[in-house]
Short mmCIF file of all heavy atoms in Angstrom, two decimals:
data_model
loop_
_atom_site.label_atom_id
_atom_site.label_comp_id
_atom_site.label_asym_id
_atom_site.label_seq_id
_atom_site.Cartn_x
_atom_site.Cartn_y
_atom_site.Cartn_z
N MET A 31 -18.38 1.95 210.83
CA MET A 31 -18.64 1.47 209.48
C MET A 31 -19.39 2.49 208.67
O MET A 31 -20.08 3.34 209.19
CB MET A 31 -19.51 0.22 209.53
CG MET A 31 -18.83 -1.02 209.98
SD MET A 31 -20.05 -2.31 209.93
CE MET A 31 -19.03 -3.70 210.17
N SER A 32 -19.29 2.33 207.38
CA SER A 32 -20.09 3.13 206.46
C SER A 32 -20.94 2.19 205.64
O SER A 32 -20.45 1.17 205.17
CB SER A 32 -19.20 3.93 205.50
OG SER A 32 -18.32 4.73 206.25
N ILE A 33 -22.18 2.53 205.46
CA ILE A 33 -23.07 1.71 204.64
C ILE A 33 -23.55 2.55 203.48
O ILE A 33 -24.07 3.63 203.68
CB ILE A 33 -24.28 1.20 205.45
CG1 ILE A 33 -23.79 0.35 206.63
CG2 ILE A 33 -25.22 0.41 204.59
CD1 ILE A 33 -24.89 -0.17 207.47
N GLN A 34 -23.39 2.04 202.27
CA GLN A 34 -23.80 2.79 201.10
C GLN A 34 -24.81 2.00 200.32
O GLN A 34 -24.99 0.81 200.50
CB GLN A 34 -22.61 3.10 200.20
CG GLN A 34 -21.57 3.92 200.95
CD GLN A 34 -20.38 4.17 200.09
OE1 GLN A 34 -20.19 3.50 199.10
NE2 GLN A 34 -19.59 5.13 200.45
N SER A 35 -25.45 2.71 199.40
CA SER A 35 -26.58 2.11 198.73
C SER A 35 -26.25 1.30 197.52
O SER A 35 -27.07 0.56 197.05
CB SER A 35 -27.54 3.21 198.30
OG SER A 35 -26.96 3.94 197.26
N ARG A 36 -25.07 1.42 196.95
CA ARG A 36 -24.82 0.73 195.70
C ARG A 36 -23.74 -0.30 195.89
O ARG A 36 -22.67 -0.05 196.41
CB ARG A 36 -24.38 1.70 194.60
CG ARG A 36 -24.33 1.03 193.25
CD ARG A 36 -23.95 2.02 192.17
NE ARG A 36 -22.58 2.47 192.33
CZ ARG A 36 -21.98 3.27 191.48
NH1 ARG A 36 -22.65 3.73 190.44
NH2 ARG A 36 -20.73 3.65 191.66
N TRP A 69 -12.27 9.31 191.55
CA TRP A 69 -13.22 10.36 191.95
C TRP A 69 -14.57 9.99 191.40
O TRP A 69 -14.79 9.94 190.22
CB TRP A 69 -12.73 11.67 191.38
CG TRP A 69 -13.68 12.80 191.55
CD1 TRP A 69 -14.20 13.55 190.55
CD2 TRP A 69 -14.20 13.34 192.76
NE1 TRP A 69 -15.01 14.52 191.06
CE2 TRP A 69 -15.02 14.41 192.41
CE3 TRP A 69 -14.06 13.02 194.11
CZ2 TRP A 69 -15.71 15.17 193.35
CZ3 TRP A 69 -14.73 13.77 195.04
CH2 TRP A 69 -15.54 14.83 194.66
N PRO A 70 -15.57 9.68 192.26
CA PRO A 70 -16.85 9.22 191.78
C PRO A 70 -17.61 10.29 191.04
O PRO A 70 -17.39 11.47 191.25
CB PRO A 70 -17.58 8.82 193.08
CG PRO A 70 -16.52 8.75 194.12
CD PRO A 70 -15.48 9.71 193.70
N GLY A 72 -21.49 11.75 189.90
CA GLY A 72 -22.94 11.72 190.02
C GLY A 72 -23.41 11.34 191.41
O GLY A 72 -22.64 11.10 192.33
N ASN A 73 -24.71 11.29 191.59
CA ASN A 73 -25.32 10.92 192.86
C ASN A 73 -25.54 9.42 192.86
O ASN A 73 -26.60 8.93 192.55
CB ASN A 73 -26.66 11.65 193.02
CG ASN A 73 -26.71 12.39 194.32
OD1 ASN A 73 -25.90 13.26 194.56
ND2 ASN A 73 -27.67 12.05 195.16
N ALA A 74 -24.47 8.66 193.18
CA ALA A 74 -24.52 7.22 192.98
C ALA A 74 -25.24 6.49 194.11
O ALA A 74 -25.71 5.39 193.92
CB ALA A 74 -23.11 6.67 192.85
N TYR A 75 -25.30 7.05 195.31
CA TYR A 75 -25.76 6.32 196.47
C TYR A 75 -27.06 6.88 197.02
O TYR A 75 -27.36 8.05 196.85
CB TYR A 75 -24.69 6.35 197.57
CG TYR A 75 -23.34 5.94 197.05
CD1 TYR A 75 -22.23 6.75 197.24
CD2 TYR A 75 -23.19 4.75 196.36
CE1 TYR A 75 -20.99 6.37 196.77
CE2 TYR A 75 -21.96 4.36 195.89
CZ TYR A 75 -20.86 5.17 196.09
OH TYR A 75 -19.64 4.80 195.62
N GLU A 76 -27.80 6.03 197.71
CA GLU A 76 -29.06 6.46 198.31
C GLU A 76 -28.89 6.81 199.79
O GLU A 76 -29.35 7.84 200.23
CB GLU A 76 -30.11 5.36 198.14
CG GLU A 76 -30.56 5.20 196.71
CD GLU A 76 -31.51 4.04 196.53
OE1 GLU A 76 -31.44 3.07 197.31
OE2 GLU A 76 -32.30 4.08 195.59
N VAL A 77 -28.24 5.92 200.54
CA VAL A 77 -28.20 6.12 201.99
C VAL A 77 -26.79 5.89 202.53
O VAL A 77 -26.10 4.97 202.10
CB VAL A 77 -29.17 5.15 202.70
CG1 VAL A 77 -29.02 5.25 204.21
CG2 VAL A 77 -30.60 5.44 202.29
N PHE A 78 -26.40 6.75 203.44
CA PHE A 78 -25.15 6.57 204.18
C PHE A 78 -25.51 6.49 205.66
O PHE A 78 -26.14 7.39 206.21
CB PHE A 78 -24.23 7.77 203.94
CG PHE A 78 -22.93 7.70 204.69
CD1 PHE A 78 -21.82 7.14 204.13
CD2 PHE A 78 -22.85 8.21 205.98
CE1 PHE A 78 -20.62 7.09 204.82
CE2 PHE A 78 -21.66 8.15 206.69
CZ PHE A 78 -20.55 7.59 206.10
N LEU A 79 -25.10 5.40 206.30
CA LEU A 79 -25.31 5.25 207.74
C LEU A 79 -24.00 5.55 208.46
O LEU A 79 -22.97 4.96 208.17
CB LEU A 79 -25.77 3.84 208.09
CG LEU A 79 -27.15 3.40 207.60
CD1 LEU A 79 -27.49 2.05 208.19
CD2 LEU A 79 -28.22 4.41 207.95
N PHE A 106 -24.91 -0.48 201.02
CA PHE A 106 -23.59 -1.10 200.92
C PHE A 106 -23.00 -1.22 202.32
O PHE A 106 -22.99 -0.25 203.07
CB PHE A 106 -22.69 -0.22 200.05
CG PHE A 106 -21.30 -0.77 199.86
CD1 PHE A 106 -20.96 -1.43 198.71
CD2 PHE A 106 -20.33 -0.60 200.84
CE1 PHE A 106 -19.68 -1.93 198.53
CE2 PHE A 106 -19.06 -1.10 200.67
CZ PHE A 106 -18.73 -1.76 199.51
N ASP A 108 -19.44 -2.69 204.06
CA ASP A 108 -18.14 -3.18 203.61
C ASP A 108 -17.87 -4.64 203.98
O ASP A 108 -17.28 -5.38 203.21
CB ASP A 108 -17.00 -2.28 204.09
CG ASP A 108 -17.05 -1.99 205.58
OD1 ASP A 108 -17.89 -2.58 206.28
OD2 ASP A 108 -16.24 -1.16 206.03
N ILE A 118 -10.55 -0.93 199.27
CA ILE A 118 -11.65 0.04 199.28
C ILE A 118 -11.10 1.37 198.78
O ILE A 118 -10.12 1.87 199.28
CB ILE A 118 -12.21 0.23 200.70
CG1 ILE A 118 -12.72 -1.11 201.24
CG2 ILE A 118 -13.32 1.25 200.70
CD1 ILE A 118 -13.13 -1.04 202.68
N GLY A 119 -11.74 1.95 197.78
CA GLY A 119 -11.22 3.17 197.20
C GLY A 119 -12.13 4.34 197.46
O GLY A 119 -13.02 4.29 198.29
N PRO A 120 -11.94 5.43 196.72
CA PRO A 120 -12.69 6.66 196.97
C PRO A 120 -14.17 6.51 196.70
O PRO A 120 -14.96 7.31 197.17
CB PRO A 120 -12.05 7.66 196.01
CG PRO A 120 -11.39 6.85 194.98
CD PRO A 120 -10.94 5.60 195.67
N GLU A 121 -14.57 5.47 195.94
CA GLU A 121 -15.99 5.28 195.72
C GLU A 121 -16.69 4.98 197.04
O GLU A 121 -17.84 5.34 197.24
CB GLU A 121 -16.25 4.16 194.71
CG GLU A 121 -17.68 4.15 194.22
CD GLU A 121 -17.84 3.33 192.98
OE1 GLU A 121 -16.84 3.03 192.32
OE2 GLU A 121 -18.98 2.99 192.67
N LEU A 122 -15.96 4.30 197.95
CA LEU A 122 -16.49 4.10 199.30
C LEU A 122 -16.24 5.33 200.16
O LEU A 122 -17.12 5.81 200.86
CB LEU A 122 -15.84 2.87 199.92
CG LEU A 122 -16.18 2.60 201.39
CD1 LEU A 122 -17.68 2.44 201.57
CD2 LEU A 122 -15.46 1.37 201.89
N LEU A 123 -15.02 5.87 200.08
CA LEU A 123 -14.63 6.97 200.96
C LEU A 123 -15.40 8.26 200.69
O LEU A 123 -15.56 9.09 201.55
CB LEU A 123 -13.13 7.22 200.83
CG LEU A 123 -12.24 6.01 201.19
CD1 LEU A 123 -10.80 6.33 200.90
CD2 LEU A 123 -12.43 5.64 202.65
N CYS A 124 -15.85 8.42 199.47
CA CYS A 124 -16.59 9.64 199.12
C CYS A 124 -18.09 9.42 199.16
O CYS A 124 -18.86 10.20 198.58
CB CYS A 124 -16.17 10.12 197.73
SG CYS A 124 -14.43 10.52 197.62
N ASN A 125 -18.52 8.37 199.83
CA ASN A 125 -19.94 8.04 199.76
C ASN A 125 -20.83 9.10 200.41
O ASN A 125 -21.99 9.25 200.02
CB ASN A 125 -20.23 6.67 200.39
CG ASN A 125 -19.71 6.55 201.80
OD1 ASN A 125 -19.26 7.51 202.40
ND2 ASN A 125 -19.74 5.35 202.33
N ILE A 126 -20.33 9.83 201.35
CA ILE A 126 -21.15 10.87 201.96
C ILE A 126 -21.53 11.91 200.90
O ILE A 126 -22.69 12.28 200.75
CB ILE A 126 -20.42 11.56 203.11
CG1 ILE A 126 -20.06 10.54 204.19
CG2 ILE A 126 -21.25 12.68 203.70
CD1 ILE A 126 -19.20 11.10 205.28
N THR A 127 -20.51 12.35 200.17
CA THR A 127 -20.74 13.37 199.15
C THR A 127 -21.75 12.90 198.12
O THR A 127 -22.57 13.69 197.63
CB THR A 127 -19.41 13.69 198.45
OG1 THR A 127 -18.47 14.09 199.43
CG2 THR A 127 -19.59 14.81 197.44
N GLN A 128 -21.76 11.63 197.79
CA GLN A 128 -22.61 11.12 196.74
C GLN A 128 -23.98 10.67 197.24
O GLN A 128 -24.88 10.44 196.44
CB GLN A 128 -21.94 9.93 196.05
CG GLN A 128 -20.73 10.35 195.24
CD GLN A 128 -20.28 9.25 194.32
OE1 GLN A 128 -20.27 8.09 194.70
NE2 GLN A 128 -19.92 9.59 193.11
N SER A 129 -24.13 10.51 198.52
CA SER A 129 -25.39 9.97 199.04
C SER A 129 -26.53 10.96 198.91
O SER A 129 -26.33 12.17 198.92
CB SER A 129 -25.23 9.56 200.51
OG SER A 129 -24.31 8.51 200.64
N THR A 130 -27.72 10.43 198.83
CA THR A 130 -28.92 11.25 198.82
C THR A 130 -29.37 11.56 200.24
O THR A 130 -29.80 12.67 200.54
CB THR A 130 -30.05 10.52 198.07
OG1 THR A 130 -29.60 10.20 196.76
CG2 THR A 130 -31.29 11.37 197.99
N ILE A 131 -29.25 10.56 201.11
CA ILE A 131 -29.66 10.71 202.51
C ILE A 131 -28.53 10.22 203.42
O ILE A 131 -27.93 9.18 203.16
CB ILE A 131 -30.94 9.89 202.80
CG1 ILE A 131 -32.10 10.38 201.93
CG2 ILE A 131 -31.32 9.95 204.28
CD1 ILE A 131 -33.34 9.50 202.02
N SER A 132 -28.25 10.97 204.45
CA SER A 132 -27.30 10.53 205.48
C SER A 132 -28.05 10.36 206.80
O SER A 132 -28.89 11.19 207.16
CB SER A 132 -26.18 11.55 205.66
OG SER A 132 -25.33 11.57 204.54
N GLU A 149 -17.11 12.31 209.65
CA GLU A 149 -18.22 12.07 208.72
C GLU A 149 -19.39 13.00 209.01
O GLU A 149 -20.05 13.49 208.08
CB GLU A 149 -18.66 10.61 208.81
CG GLU A 149 -17.62 9.65 208.28
CD GLU A 149 -18.03 8.19 208.39
OE1 GLU A 149 -19.01 7.90 209.11
OE2 GLU A 149 -17.38 7.36 207.76
N GLN A 152 -18.82 16.30 207.42
CA GLN A 152 -19.01 16.26 205.98
C GLN A 152 -20.49 16.17 205.60
O GLN A 152 -20.95 16.78 204.62
CB GLN A 152 -18.24 15.08 205.38
CG GLN A 152 -18.24 15.05 203.87
CD GLN A 152 -17.68 16.32 203.27
OE1 GLN A 152 -16.74 16.91 203.82
NE2 GLN A 152 -18.24 16.75 202.17
N MET A 153 -21.27 15.40 206.36
CA MET A 153 -22.71 15.32 206.10
C MET A 153 -23.36 16.70 206.14
O MET A 153 -24.15 17.06 205.27
CB MET A 153 -23.40 14.44 207.16
CG MET A 153 -23.12 12.97 207.09
SD MET A 153 -23.99 12.19 208.46
CE MET A 153 -22.92 10.81 208.75
N CYS A 156 -22.50 18.80 203.20
CA CYS A 156 -23.29 18.40 202.04
C CYS A 156 -24.74 18.87 202.17
O CYS A 156 -25.38 19.19 201.16
CB CYS A 156 -23.25 16.88 201.86
SG CYS A 156 -21.64 16.26 201.35
N LYS A 160 -25.37 21.05 199.08
CA LYS A 160 -26.05 20.25 198.05
C LYS A 160 -27.49 19.92 198.39
O LYS A 160 -28.18 19.29 197.60
CB LYS A 160 -25.29 18.93 197.84
CG LYS A 160 -23.86 19.10 197.36
CD LYS A 160 -23.15 17.75 197.34
CE LYS A 160 -23.87 16.75 196.48
NZ LYS A 160 -23.20 15.45 196.44
N GLN A 162 -28.36 17.88 200.72
CA GLN A 162 -28.47 16.50 201.15
C GLN A 162 -29.38 16.38 202.38
O GLN A 162 -29.38 17.25 203.24
CB GLN A 162 -27.09 15.95 201.48
CG GLN A 162 -27.08 14.45 201.80
CD GLN A 162 -25.67 13.96 202.13
OE1 GLN A 162 -25.31 13.89 203.29
NE2 GLN A 162 -24.88 13.65 201.10
N MET A 925 -11.44 17.98 201.44
CA MET A 925 -12.15 17.31 202.53
C MET A 925 -11.30 16.13 203.00
O MET A 925 -10.49 15.59 202.25
CB MET A 925 -13.52 16.81 202.07
CG MET A 925 -13.50 15.76 200.98
SD MET A 925 -15.16 15.21 200.51
CE MET A 925 -15.69 16.60 199.55
N LEU A 927 -12.36 12.69 204.77
CA LEU A 927 -13.48 11.89 205.27
C LEU A 927 -13.03 10.93 206.36
O LEU A 927 -13.78 10.61 207.27
CB LEU A 927 -14.10 11.10 204.12
CG LEU A 927 -14.64 11.94 202.96
CD1 LEU A 927 -15.27 11.05 201.92
CD2 LEU A 927 -15.63 12.97 203.46
N TYR A 928 -11.80 10.44 206.24
CA TYR A 928 -11.25 9.49 207.20
C TYR A 928 -9.80 9.87 207.47
O TYR A 928 -9.15 10.51 206.63
CB TYR A 928 -11.28 8.06 206.66
CG TYR A 928 -12.64 7.53 206.38
CD1 TYR A 928 -13.24 7.72 205.13
CD2 TYR A 928 -13.34 6.83 207.35
CE1 TYR A 928 -14.49 7.22 204.87
CE2 TYR A 928 -14.61 6.33 207.09
CZ TYR A 928 -15.18 6.53 205.85
OH TYR A 928 -16.42 6.03 205.59
N LEU A 933 -9.04 14.56 199.79
CA LEU A 933 -9.68 14.74 198.49
C LEU A 933 -9.73 16.22 198.17
O LEU A 933 -10.27 17.01 198.95
CB LEU A 933 -11.10 14.15 198.50
CG LEU A 933 -11.93 14.37 197.25
CD1 LEU A 933 -11.28 13.71 196.05
CD2 LEU A 933 -13.34 13.82 197.45
#
Side-chain angles (χ1 to χ4, degrees):
M31 287 180 169
S32 303
I33 300 180
Q34 300 178 343
S35 70
R36 189 178 68 176
W69 173 238
N73 233 60
Y75 309 127
E76 290 175 333
V77 174
F78 179 92
L79 293 187
F106 181 100
D108 50 7
I118 301 173
E121 193 164 344
L122 174 58
L123 300 175
C124 299
N125 53 9
I126 300 174
T127 304
Q128 291 194 319
S129 295
T130 303
I131 299 172
S132 291
E149 292 179 346
Q152 187 57 36
M153 289 178 209
C156 290
K160 299 173 56 180
Q162 186 181 95
M925 64 179 75
L927 301 182
Y928 297 89
L933 175 62

